[in-house]
Amino acid sequence: MANLAEVEFPVKLQCLFKKSRYKVLWGGRGGAKSWGIARALLILATKNPLRILCAREFQTSIRDSVHKLLSDQIASLGLTDFYEITDRTIRGRNGSEFNFVGLKNNVANVKSFEGIDVCWVEEAQTVSARSWDVLIPTKFRPNRLLRNNRPHHTGQKRQRI
């Protein structure tokens, strides 16, 4: 396993290692948000067993999820001996688990995920009010929700959490 203490993060992503109920990252394409979130969650999940739900509004297959990004970062961080990558999940030797869900067609199923430590919502700007209304009150363990947003277009409704 790589020396994870030496992995560097931009200053704007240091918040990923601080406790808070909600974390919202804003910015355009190429800002390293998704890449940073993936790395941070993979590192945190090596230290403590975590159940992580990776969600987005539209996901018709695992190919639409951050599964590939996480898999690539596992290799980049030298964590291939720690994580088992399957077609549907990613599991750590310590019991950590990454699950993937599309909200639009499965929002009611989110309620059935138990003991989630972290929920990462990718491309959160596309998530409907209906999906947020189900997702936000869901009882995650320490109640952490990560939102990755791109800037809104003029006139687009902003959602609050």
Side-chain angles (χ1 to χ4, degrees):
M1 186 177 333
N3 184 355
L4 299 178
E6 294 177 8
V7 176
E8 294 185 16
F9 283 83
V11 173
K12 68 180 182 177
L13 298 181
Q14 294 297 319
C15 66
L16 296 173
F17 295 96
K18 296 178 180 160
K19 289 189 178 198
S20 68
R21 182 172 179 152
Y22 300 113
K23 297 175 187 177
V24 180
L25 301 180
W26 294 86
R29 290 181 58 138
K33 296 176 309 299
S34 299
W35 181 85
I37 292 169
R39 287 184 144 221
L41 291 176
L42 289 166
I43 290 168
L44 291 170
T46 63
K47 295 177 180 183
N48 295 299
L50 295 175
R51 294 193 70 207
I52 299 166
L53 180 64
C54 303
R56 64 187 309 134
E57 183 73 353
F58 304 102
Q59 179 179 308
T60 55
S61 74
I62 200 72
R63 289 180 21 206
D64 297 331
S65 73
V66 293
H67 186 280
K68 173 79 168 117
L69 172 62
L70 287 162
S71 300
D72 291 346
Q73 291 303 316
I74 288 168
S76 175
L77 291 168
L79 296 172
T80 53
D81 290 338
F82 184 83
Y83 285 106
E84 174 192 2
I85 301 169
T86 69
D87 291 343
R88 304 185 128 220
T89 64
I90 296 174
R91 292 190 175 97
R93 286 189 316 203
N94 65 352
S96 288
E97 185 176 15
F98 290 78
N99 291 289
F100 306 88
V101 67
L103 298 171
K104 182 163 180 65
N105 297 321
N106 299 304
V107 73
N109 292 342
V110 170
K111 295 177 190 176
S112 68
F113 280 96
E114 290 188 27
I116 297 296
D117 295 295
V118 178
C119 180
W120 170 15
V121 181
E122 180 68 8
E123 296 190 11
Q125 76 280 1
T126 65
V127 176
S128 68
R130 177 179 170 264
S131 294
W132 283 122
D133 288 345
V134 172
L135 188 61
I136 289 172
T138 299
K139 300 296 183 201
F140 301 114
R141 260 196 281 236
N143 294 320
R144 289 191 291 190
L145 179 64
L146 279 168
R147 280 179 63 170
N148 184 5
N149 288 358
R150 290 193 182 142
H152 292 276
H153 299 289
T154 305
Q156 187 176 6
K157 178 182 172 188
R158 290 187 182 218
Q159 298 170 343
R160 294 180 184 214
I161 56 172

